[in-house]
């Protein structure tokens, strides 16, 4: 069984000599995602973790637009961690930290989240295109960590394709979902209602659903006022 649908750098595209990888989708989606994040981050400061950063291109763009925010990229794939470091070095921005090796299927995330060498309580967690390309326990671990580490005013941003009320929002998403499940029965496009339930279990409520280009959504979770 394939471990990742997207293991960047395995498609024959040339790597940069320093290990920087390129994700074609990044060029199509980063401006729209950045605009949504900026609505929340503008004027604020604090730590933000990107979960499953992939190549590292998103975190560089986000860091460029929000110099007051300390960005902590992460992934568990060694090649991707190398690419993130290379993009970090290439950008030369002071507000991107060395990527954390976070396996989201572990609710504890990584030692640095607990030993004082990583970020403090988080202003935000951002995660794009990960939870449908991974077993459900990865979504559980993502929410567990976000519920534990987000500040009182913190938010979890989830970008990708999602089902709503058990239904796909586009034929292309349904086709994609089938191809994911054929590759690995544990993967698949997730339903917003199931994610709301996960959030409920860790004190997070769905605040907003932002419609994005190409039938993607951004789900924005915040701390429940009841928690
Ligand atoms: C489709 S890529 C998305 C990368 C990037 N967020 C983007 O949108 O371009 C999925 C990413 O999730 C990472 N990933 C898969 N399983 C993971 C896990 N259990 N914990 C953390 N990251 C994981 C992969 O290594 C890969 O970088």
């Amino acid at each position: 069984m394939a471990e990742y649908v997207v293991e960047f750098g395995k498609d024959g595209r040339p790597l940069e000599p320093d290990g920087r990888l390129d994700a074609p989708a990044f060029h199509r989606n980063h401006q729209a995602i950045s605009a949504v994040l900026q609505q929340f981050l503008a004027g604020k400061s604090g730590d933000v973790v990107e979960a499953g950063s992939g190549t590292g291109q998103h975190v560089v763009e986000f860091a460029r637009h929000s110099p007051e925010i300390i960005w902590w990229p992460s992934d568990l794939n060694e090649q991707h961690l190398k690419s993130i470091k290379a993009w970090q070095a290439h950008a030369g921005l002071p507000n991107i930290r060395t990527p954390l090796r976070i396996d989201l299927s572990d609710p504890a995330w990584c030692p640095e989240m607990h030993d004082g060498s990583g970020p403090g309580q988080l202003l935000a967690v951002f995660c794009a295109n990960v939870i449908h390309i991974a077993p459900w326990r990865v979504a559980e671990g993502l929410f567990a960590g976000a519920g534990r580490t987000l500040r009182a005013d913190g938010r979890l941003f989830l970008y990708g394709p999602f089902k709503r009320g058990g239904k796909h929002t586009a034929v292309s998403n349904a086709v994609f979902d089938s191809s994911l499940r054929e590759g690995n029965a544990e993967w698949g496009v997730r339903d917003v209602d199931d994610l709301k339930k996960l959030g409920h279990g860790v004190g997070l409520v769905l605040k907003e659903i932002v419609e994005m280009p190409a039938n993607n959504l951004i789900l924005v979770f915040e701390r429940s006022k009841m928690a």
Side-chain angles (χ1 to χ4, degrees):
M1 257 190 296
E3 197 182 349
Y4 308 101
V5 166
V6 175
E7 189 171 357
F8 298 113
K10 292 285 169 76
D11 59 358
R13 294 158 68 88
L15 294 187
E16 294 295 333
D18 61 2
R20 273 178 295 143
L21 299 167
D22 178 58
F26 158 80
H27 303 280
R28 299 191 291 270
N29 66 26
H30 73 88
Q31 282 175 330
I33 296 172
S34 199
V36 174
L37 292 181
Q38 275 311 308
Q39 284 176 22
F40 173 66
L41 297 176
K44 296 191 177 76
S45 59
D47 291 309
V48 177
V49 164
E50 183 187 23
S53 297
T55 64
Q57 289 165 293
H58 281 120
V59 82
V60 167
E61 274 312 302
F62 302 156
R64 219 187 283 290
H65 288 105
S66 52
E68 306 302 323
I69 305 292
I70 304 296
W71 289 88
W72 299 80
S74 70
D75 210 284
L76 89 169
N77 175 291
E78 292 307 325
Q79 196 73 7
H80 296 180
L81 288 167
K82 189 176 170 202
S83 176
I84 299 163
K85 278 186 201 160
W87 275 109
Q88 176 198 16
H90 183 261
L93 296 170
N95 58 329
I96 306 176
R97 295 293 178 261
T98 301
L100 301 165
R101 191 189 183 287
I102 295 180
D103 179 352
L104 293 167
S105 63
D106 177 359
W109 284 11
C110 63
E112 293 88 337
M113 298 300 299
H114 307 274
D115 65 10
S117 64
Q121 289 293 103
L122 300 175
L123 173 60
V125 175
F126 171 73
C127 184
N129 291 322
V130 174
I131 60 171
H132 54 282
I133 305 178
W136 181 243
R137 64 179 175 279
V138 167
E140 291 174 330
L142 172 68
F143 274 78
R148 191 181 55 245
T149 55
L150 283 175
R151 307 183 337 199
D153 62 344
R155 291 195 184 160
L156 166 64
F157 293 85
L158 275 184
Y159 170 87
F162 297 96
K163 289 193 277 186
R164 297 180 81 165
K167 294 194 177 70
H168 287 291
T169 62
V171 173
S172 57
N173 285 1
V175 172
F176 181 47
D177 188 31
S178 297
S179 71
L180 288 174
R181 290 174 192 280
E182 268 170 36
N184 187 323
E186 289 192 277
W187 294 345
V189 171
R190 307 304 179 188
D191 195 295
V192 173
D193 290 340
D194 293 330
L195 296 166
K196 276 167 84 169
K197 281 184 208 146
L198 268 192
H200 184 71
V202 298
L204 299 177
V205 289
L206 182 62
K207 176 185 170 50
E208 194 181 356
I209 298 179
V210 186
E211 303 214 351
M212 303 295 286
N215 304 304
N216 289 300
L217 302 174
I218 291 184
L219 310 185
V220 186
F221 288 83
E222 67 176 6
R223 282 214 170 279
S224 164
K225 305 285 180 274
M226 310 297 286

